[in-house]
Amino acid sequence: MIFRETSPIYLQIAERLMDEILAGKYAPDERIPGVRDYSVQLQVNVNTTTKAFDQLRQRGIIYDRRGLGSFVSIDARERILELRRNAFFRESLPHLARTIRQLDISDDELLQRLKAEMADAG
């Protein structure tokens, strides 16, 4: 994994694991790799991966079964989507709205282009 300098590595690891859950690599109630295995896979320090797993536990995305490891929460997908939607509305949307107004893009043009982009992406 190539890490960006703009964000702490443990957050990038947490984001990657959330991406993998959304992609269906790990199903609800399925065991995920242990901290050590995931650290080896990503070639990072175990403490960094532990911090990422702790972050996901605090958000209710993964949980532990004593002696068995970490598992994907039943509602992990919904929790991830909610977190990411909230981040989008809080961080990206205000900047996007300012740019749209600065460029004097009409609502009709914006909607037309957005629909075309969504069709291409889907």
Side-chain angles (χ1 to χ4, degrees):
M1 181 171 176
I2 299 172
F3 296 102
R4 301 176 311 276
E5 291 184 24
T6 56
S7 175
I9 292 174
Y10 79 94
L11 291 178
Q12 293 177 60
I13 293 170
E15 287 293 325
R16 177 190 168 122
L17 194 48
M18 287 190 287
D19 287 344
E20 291 172 343
I21 292 168
L22 288 178
K25 183 172 182 177
Y26 305 111
D29 233 13
E30 182 179 342
R31 186 179 184 279
I32 61 174
V35 171
R36 283 180 176 71
D37 291 338
Y38 211 63
S39 296
V40 169
Q41 181 182 337
L42 299 180
Q43 300 178 345
V44 297
N45 185 291
V46 172
N47 294 329
T48 304
T49 304
T50 299
K51 199 169 179 180
F53 276 45
D54 288 344
Q55 183 82 221
L56 295 173
R57 269 187 219 93
Q58 290 172 4
R59 293 178 173 178
I61 294 166
I62 64 173
Y63 67 95
D64 290 331
R65 287 188 186 160
R66 190 174 184 140
L68 297 176
S70 297
F71 291 76
V72 177
S73 297
I74 295 294
D75 61 347
R77 180 177 175 74
E78 291 77 18
R79 288 177 182 261
I80 294 167
L81 291 174
E82 182 181 352
L83 284 168
R84 291 189 172 176
R85 283 182 186 123
N86 288 339
F88 172 77
F89 289 128
R90 184 180 61 252
E91 298 164 12
S92 300
L93 190 58
H95 174 71
L96 180 62
R98 279 191 301 278
T99 302
I100 289 166
R101 293 300 167 230
Q102 286 174 343
L103 299 176
D104 199 26
I105 298 172
S106 73
D107 293 348
D108 290 337
E109 181 183 3
L110 178 64
L111 189 56
Q112 177 185 2
R113 299 255 182 143
L114 181 59
K115 284 180 179 180
E117 285 296 324
M118 301 237 350
D120 290 345

